[in-house]
Amino acid sequence: MKLAKHKFRVGAISLMIALFFNISPALAFCGFYVAQADGDLYNQASQVIMARDGDRTVLTMANDYQGEVENFALVVPVPVVLKEEQVQVQTPKIIKRIDNFSAPRLVEYFDDNPCRPQGPILHSLESTASQTEAGRAQSADSLGVTVEEEFDVGEYSIVILSAKESKGLETWLQQNNYNIPDGASDLLQPYIRQNLKFFVAKVNLEKYNPDKFTSLRPLQMAYESSRFILPIRLGTLNAQGNQDLLVYILSPKGQAEVTNYRTVKIPSDVQIPVYIKEEEKFPEFYQSMFEKSWEKNNGKTVFLEYAWDMSKCDPCSAQPLNSEELKNAGVFWDDNSVFITRLHVRYNHNLYPQDLRFQETPNREFFQGRYVIRHPYDGQANCPEAESYYERVRDRQEKNAKTLANLTGWKLSEIEEKIDFVETEGNASEVWWRQLFD
Amino acid sequence: MKQAKAILDQTTLNIDLRDLQIFALSFFLLLGLISQGFDFALNSQTILVAIVASVSTQYLADLFIKQKEMPELISRSALITGLGLCLLLRTNSWEIMAFAAVSAVLSKFLIKYRGKHLFNPANFGIISVLCLTDGAWVSPGQWGESFFLALLFISVGGLILTWLGRWETTAIFLLVYGLGIALRNQWLGFGPEIWWHEINSGSLLLFAFFMISDPRSIPDGKWGRIIWSSAIALLTLILKYQFFLATAPFFALFFLSLLTPIFDDFWQGKRFSWTWTTFQLGGNQNEASKA
């Protein structure tokens, strides 16, 4: 399969752009893309919002489809047959909003004048991370395939299929001009046997107006099922290498976690050198750190990047979503008590043999990926305390350099070259005998 | 020759197998605490509460319910229960952990049938806080999938169970559970890597080696134990795959424990007692077989 050219808009300072740009030149989604005819397909990363209370789920799927719209097609296993009123298109803004709200952050502090003793004060809170353009881009009886429902929603034409056996489904998809990757039927069979249905979407070219939409909007579906899963296996089929998936789980109860893989917190609350901000290296830093943590855990790990109560958020790391935005994100329960969990999965065919299974827990502990920089005082300081202050700053700078090297795997010597170390009396450049012989 | 034997007898060390179990569980807890993935809602305060609550409840119950004149100050069995709760139960509230520990230990004294307690104490504690409170959960994925951990759990757990002479519950549970998953995977068309992924789960192995093997609450007869643990495995599979219950093994054990008296009626066997299980290191074999 040919990959389309990287058509990336590097707009706002975007952590995730950096995150996905280099690492995952692969197709990704909880379903897989299949092309009608041999189109070029490209998908960078997927984002999914799951609002869930009890057995009720509202699933919003956004993806970064980069190919031609007429070639867009999507197959997602779903637990029940969905009717027209259970599916709608959603504004891409909501994904971006949730992403901004929950993205890992760089926080900045400034040291005060050491000659006026006082603790460091929080000067500004910078939200550095945001997200890529969301939702970009983009009979049968003898085969044992039943078209359960068929309808149009927004720019999409959707069929809901149930199938008796995978070969039949594969044939049906092929006959209907969906070009399925090799090996699809092996992956489809377990879903059929588990009595899952298939949500198949393509772009309705009559309704799609390229002038009106710059990208395909996210699809949102509501259903009731005790299965709390996200099918990722199909997405590994035509993938080359690792794929990134961000899952935002909204629950009235508390944190969500994955039950069949380990969920761990991404390293957080660490001090890193000031140049990371000044040279705009934060996206690069996060990317390297994520990669290192992922490798350290042998890849078989889901990372928690954010967990917060949106209704009682005091303190709040960002402006919480208002009730309109929550509704767009799929929150259907009344009291607007929403706990958000952001999970980041980097998966591939070998490391994640199973779909993700989730559970919601009553854990209401807050967590965020938060990285701190502390600027040394840059005014004049001539008091006796200043000397020990600068020594402390130098120690701190050395420690931060080591922390950064540990977290990212970058070379310590290269990091140290970039750090603007403060001058202290006992500097290495100051040779001890000079004081004696001068 | 006789002299040598006399020296050997003198150096024989008496080790209570429960001490070994305590050591193993503490080691696992430490291992979990050190590895970064185990930082979910487990802190030193919760651990302390679990252990103190279990041990002191045991002491008070021995004193007042059993009316022992000189109860053990630190009961080994209560310590095992406390450690088990720390390893398997997650909560942010020390009150809930205390409640779990107290109900776990009290269940041994209050819920009995013909002088034998029905439930594994830690299992009872976990189920009671899962059902009665809204602040506890179990994290089946917390140990992840690690060959090293699996090997450790299996070897340490297996060793203790062999000495206890009660290994069949664990073996049969894992056998039936593994076979069930293999058949299901075969039918669904999953490859062997999924079977391995399901079996190589730290939480499952911990449950199999350190919870359902509890010799005091399992059926006394050998055949009873074999059928009983097969039933737990089958119920676990049903709860997990039909009802999507992440806590399936705990509920399966809980429900089957209710039926233990029936198993004991059908298949009678010698009741287990910890007093036979002093393992003599460097000495002769387990006394249990002779008792």
Side-chain angles (χ1 to χ4, degrees):
Chain A
M1 176 158 303
K2 279 190 288 177
L3 294 179
K5 289 168 192 157
H6 294 252
K7 281 192 237 164
F8 244 95
R9 296 182 177 185
V10 186
I13 309 168
S14 164
L15 163 69
M16 288 307 163
I17 283 182
L19 198 66
F20 299 132
F21 190 71
N22 296 320
I23 297 167
S24 48
L27 299 166
F29 207 65
C30 40
F32 62 82
Y33 288 117
V34 290
Q36 279 184 297
D38 275 318
D40 294 339
L41 302 170
Y42 198 76
N43 183 28
Q44 297 285 337
S46 352
Q47 297 188 74
V48 173
I49 308 174
M50 291 175 97
R52 185 168 165 104
D53 183 18
D55 282 350
R56 296 177 177 176
T57 304
V58 177
L59 177 69
T60 313
M61 303 179 295
N63 49 78
D64 224 357
Y65 180 72
Q66 303 277 309
E68 295 297 320
V69 271
E70 53 268 32
N71 292 334
F72 173 87
L74 170 72
V75 180
V76 185
V78 287
V80 289
V81 171
L82 295 160
K83 296 193 184 318
E84 186 171 356
E85 69 259 25
Q86 286 171 274
V87 183
Q88 63 168 0
V89 285
Q90 192 48 265
T91 163
K93 279 185 205 153
I94 188 61
I95 305 267
K96 203 175 160 71
R97 177 74 174 88
I98 287 210
D99 176 34
N100 278 333
F101 177 76
S102 60
R105 285 174 165 71
L106 187 65
V107 187
E108 192 177 29
Y109 292 84
F110 290 86
D111 280 358
D112 206 1
N113 185 345
C115 300
R116 252 188 311 135
Q118 204 182 38
I121 48 164
L122 179 65
H123 202 269
S124 70
L125 189 80
E126 186 185 340
S127 159
T128 321
S130 75
Q131 184 47 24
T132 54
E133 291 282 301
R136 180 147 155 77
Q138 346 220 42
S139 188
D141 272 2
S142 60
L143 296 168
V145 176
T146 315
V147 178
E148 301 277 358
E149 295 285 333
E150 195 168 8
F151 49 85
D152 287 353
V153 167
E155 61 268 36
Y156 298 99
S157 287
I158 289 156
V159 284
I160 309 286
L161 303 174
S162 66
K164 289 203 177 79
E165 56 108 16
S166 56
K167 284 276 179 237
L169 181 61
E170 196 176 13
T171 312
W172 188 94
L173 288 166
Q174 276 161 353
Q175 281 176 359
N176 287 274
N177 293 330
Y178 297 98
N179 184 13
I180 311 191
D182 290 338
S185 91
D186 285 349
L187 282 186
L188 291 170
Q189 190 189 329
Y191 295 112
I192 296 171
R193 290 274 164 92
Q194 287 176 84
N195 207 18
L196 290 170
K197 314 296 172 200
F198 297 90
F199 178 99
V200 183
K202 60 184 174 186
V203 175
N204 182 340
L205 291 168
E206 285 167 20
K207 292 200 179 161
Y208 179 75
N209 179 354
D211 303 330
K212 201 173 158 196
F213 308 113
T214 53
S215 61
L216 290 173
R217 289 175 288 176
L219 274 161
Q220 190 168 57
M221 54 184 90
Y223 57 82
E224 207 162 326
S225 165
S226 40
R227 286 175 201 264
F228 191 6
I229 57 165
L230 200 59
I232 58 171
R233 288 293 290 163
L234 285 179
T236 63
L237 195 59
N238 45 7
Q240 298 163 358
N242 299 326
Q243 303 173 61
D244 283 274
L245 168 70
L246 287 172
V247 188
Y248 311 97
I249 297 168
L250 309 176
S251 153
K253 207 171 160 194
Q255 264 187 39
E257 62 180 33
V258 177
T259 59
N260 55 342
Y261 296 98
R262 202 152 67 113
T263 313
V264 303
K265 291 171 179 164
I266 193 81
S268 174
D269 273 326
V270 282
Q271 251 191 59
I272 52 176
V274 175
Y275 85 88
I276 292 294
K277 187 231 166 187
E278 280 163 0
E279 295 180 22
E280 292 179 3
K281 292 268 197 250
F282 185 58
E284 209 178 297
F285 155 75
Y286 193 79
Q287 187 186 349
S288 301
M289 189 198 63
F290 187 88
E291 174 116 23
K292 181 114 194 280
S293 311
W294 185 80
E295 280 167 3
K296 202 174 136 197
N297 286 286
N298 303 321
K300 295 172 186 173
T301 300
V302 176
F303 286 93
L304 178 72
E305 289 186 328
Y306 192 76
W308 218 272
D309 185 343
M310 283 211 267
S311 52
K312 281 179 271 171
C313 85
D314 178 29
C316 246
S317 51
Q319 183 63 31
L321 277 69
N322 61 33
S323 53
E324 182 62 28
E325 287 169 324
L326 287 175
K327 203 179 141 207
N328 288 343
V331 172
F332 52 86
W333 50 94
D334 288 334
D335 60 353
N336 273 355
S337 151
V338 180
F339 199 98
I340 176 172
T341 308
R342 173 186 173 123
L343 298 170
H344 185 166
V345 193
R346 177 164 296 169
Y347 63 101
N348 62 38
H349 188 79
N350 296 330
L351 289 175
Y352 284 81
Q354 272 191 317
D355 288 331
L356 302 176
R357 290 200 290 257
F358 300 94
Q359 71 170 353
E360 47 181 5
T361 73
N363 187 5
R364 298 187 74 88
E365 196 183 44
F366 294 165
F367 175 78
Q368 60 170 324
R370 183 174 174 273
Y371 309 91
V372 180
I373 53 170
R374 257 175 84 175
H375 296 271
Y377 177 67
D378 65 351
Q380 286 288 321
N382 295 320
C383 57
E385 291 88 354
E387 199 178 308
S388 66
Y389 164 75
Y390 284 119
E391 269 166 25
R392 283 200 307 277
V393 171
R394 204 184 156 88
D395 286 350
R396 183 172 92 197
Q397 288 176 319
E398 280 163 5
K399 205 174 133 213
N400 292 351
K402 284 186 189 122
T403 310
L404 186 62
N406 275 338
L407 285 176
T408 56
W410 295 347
K411 274 193 180 154
L412 186 62
S413 55
E414 284 169 19
I415 293 170
E416 280 174 336
E417 266 171 37
K418 290 189 174 167
I419 294 179
D420 184 14
F421 284 106
V422 295
E423 305 259 322
T424 60
E425 298 250 323
N427 254 359
S429 55
E430 194 81 359
V431 186
W432 63 272
W433 56 80
R434 202 161 290 161
Q435 290 178 330
L436 194 66
F437 295 143
D438 257 4
Chain B
M1 192 66 192
K2 272 184 180 177
Q3 272 181 339
K5 195 173 182 299
I7 292 168
L8 197 69
D9 281 348
Q10 277 168 15
T11 51
T12 295
L13 257 170
N14 287 339
I15 294 180
D16 189 312
L17 281 177
R18 284 174 296 179
D19 288 337
L20 210 62
Q21 225 168 345
I22 290 166
F23 178 75
L25 293 175
S26 315
F27 178 67
F28 297 154
L29 192 58
L30 198 69
L31 207 67
L33 287 171
I34 305 169
S35 77
Q36 63 146 341
F38 206 47
D39 56 357
F40 283 78
L42 187 74
N43 52 37
S44 46
Q45 191 199 16
T46 324
I47 296 175
L48 199 70
V49 165
I51 289 168
V52 170
S54 311
V55 170
S56 53
T57 308
Q58 173 88 29
Y59 183 82
L60 293 174
D62 271 342
L63 203 64
F64 295 110
I65 301 176
K66 254 192 170 172
Q67 311 232 316
K68 274 192 190 171
E69 278 182 20
M70 289 281 284
E72 256 182 313
L73 196 60
I74 295 176
S75 146
R76 292 186 173 97
S77 143
L79 204 54
I80 291 172
T81 302
L83 288 167
L85 288 173
C86 293
L87 282 167
L88 295 165
L89 186 68
R90 294 284 153 267
T91 175
N92 287 325
S93 129
W94 67 266
E95 290 98 331
I96 289 181
M97 187 52 101
F99 179 67
V102 171
S103 60
V105 175
L106 278 184
S107 77
K108 279 196 300 191
F109 292 89
L110 303 178
I111 309 173
K112 285 168 124 179
Y113 181 77
R114 292 191 191 155
K116 175 178 168 181
H117 57 255
L118 267 191
F119 298 102
N120 167 275
N123 182 246
F124 186 85
I126 289 173
I127 297 293
S128 60
V129 288
L130 285 182
C131 294
L132 300 176
T133 73
D134 196 20
W137 69 100
V138 168
S139 287
Q142 72 186 2
W143 291 97
E145 171 190 355
S146 144
F147 183 70
F148 165 72
L149 264 182
L151 200 70
L152 190 73
F153 288 163
I154 292 171
S155 49
V156 177
L159 197 64
I160 294 176
L161 293 180
T162 312
W163 284 343
L164 281 180
R166 285 289 194 263
W167 56 271
E168 62 275 88
T169 20
T170 300
I172 295 291
F173 171 81
L174 286 176
L175 198 72
V176 174
Y177 185 78
L179 203 65
I181 291 181
L183 289 175
R184 179 178 183 270
N185 286 356
Q186 184 65 34
W187 180 69
L188 290 177
F190 282 137
E193 70 280 6
I194 297 207
W195 184 84
W196 178 238
H197 177 75
E198 291 270 8
I199 294 292
N200 185 10
S201 144
S203 304
L204 178 83
L205 294 175
L206 209 57
F207 170 83
F209 280 99
F210 294 92
M211 189 171 267
I212 57 164
S213 57
D214 169 20
R216 291 284 288 164
S217 54
I218 59 184
D220 296 330
K222 189 170 184 169
W223 279 104
R225 285 200 294 274
I226 288 173
I227 293 167
W228 184 78
S229 57
S230 314
I232 293 178
L234 290 174
L235 188 58
T236 303
L237 291 168
I238 293 169
L239 292 177
K240 187 172 174 187
Y241 294 112
Q242 288 302 308
F243 297 91
F244 310 104
L245 201 64
T247 47
F250 300 102
F251 277 97
L253 174 60
F254 182 81
F255 291 132
L256 261 299
S257 295
L258 288 168
L259 303 181
T260 307
I262 300 174
F263 283 86
D264 279 345
D265 270 357
F266 272 98
W267 295 278
Q268 281 158 11
K270 179 126 182 70
R271 172 115 5 129
F272 185 88
S273 162
W274 280 107
T275 51
W276 339 309
T277 60
T278 305
F279 183 76
Q280 297 187 328
L281 200 67
N284 50 5
Q285 281 306 301
N286 193 348
E287 294 297 315
S289 52
K290 294 179 186 171

